[in-house]
Amino acid sequence: MSTVIATYSDGVHRAGVVALWRKTFDYGTPHNDADYSLDLKLKADDGLLFVALEDGAVIGTTMAGFDGHRGWIYSVAVDPAFRRRGIGAALVRHAEQALKAQGCPKVNLQIVTGNEQVIGFYESLGFSVEPRISMGKRFPWRE
């Protein structure tokens, strides 16, 4: 079997992405709902949401964003049955290339507290822990 990385297509990949994110991410907050997150990303219409496919089935994802100053990589997920085959690394590299093509000079990512075991994975791809404090502010939910 061979894995293919493709740009997300809503009519083709949505159910697979939603199922994968619900399986791999333990987000208990409404603003991280898989369908809602997809809808928000699709509004950006930037072509920076990618899926890893095996025999047409979604087995991995990564989402990227570029604000003109910094790039970000989000939602790197690989179905547990397909891990340790280089799929996550291929997804990250694919997103990096897409960001570079847009002129992005630097890419950032965040790791959720409690998921520190992935630090080694990202370090193997050239990322390093930077002396930063990540802050966030939630807006009222769906006003």
Side-chain angles (χ1 to χ4, degrees):
M1 292 187 234
S2 65
T3 302
V4 174
I5 296 177
T7 301
Y8 175 86
S9 175
D10 198 46
V12 177
H13 303 127
R14 178 176 282 266
V17 169
V18 168
L20 175 67
W21 286 357
R22 287 183 178 156
K23 180 191 286 188
T24 59
F25 298 136
D26 184 25
Y27 293 142
T29 55
H31 71 276
N32 281 321
D33 173 75
D35 280 301
Y36 181 68
S37 294
L38 279 172
D39 290 341
L40 288 177
K41 180 59 176 170
L42 294 175
K43 284 182 185 179
D45 195 26
D46 60 9
L48 293 174
L49 175 55
F50 307 104
V51 292
L53 305 169
E54 187 127 342
D55 295 326
V58 174
I59 60 164
T61 63
T62 191
M63 184 168 24
F66 181 50
D67 62 13
H69 180 66
R70 292 286 182 259
W72 285 87
I73 293 178
Y74 309 88
S75 303
V76 177
V78 176
D79 186 292
F82 293 90
R83 291 183 182 164
R84 304 220 179 269
R85 292 182 27 194
I87 296 166
L91 283 161
V92 170
R93 288 187 190 107
H94 191 87
E96 287 176 333
Q97 290 305 313
L99 290 167
K100 287 178 188 178
Q102 292 190 13
C104 178
K106 180 179 188 270
V107 65
N108 297 324
L109 59 83
Q110 295 175 320
I111 297 169
V112 176
T113 300
N115 193 24
E116 290 86 354
Q117 71 272 12
V118 301
I119 291 173
F121 165 74
Y122 287 113
E123 286 176 335
S124 76
L125 297 174
F127 288 83
S128 60
V129 176
E130 296 181 326
R132 308 283 188 271
I133 296 172
S134 179
M135 296 179 66
K137 178 180 180 181
R138 292 184 191 166
F139 295 119
W141 179 244
R142 298 185 187 190
E143 288 185 43

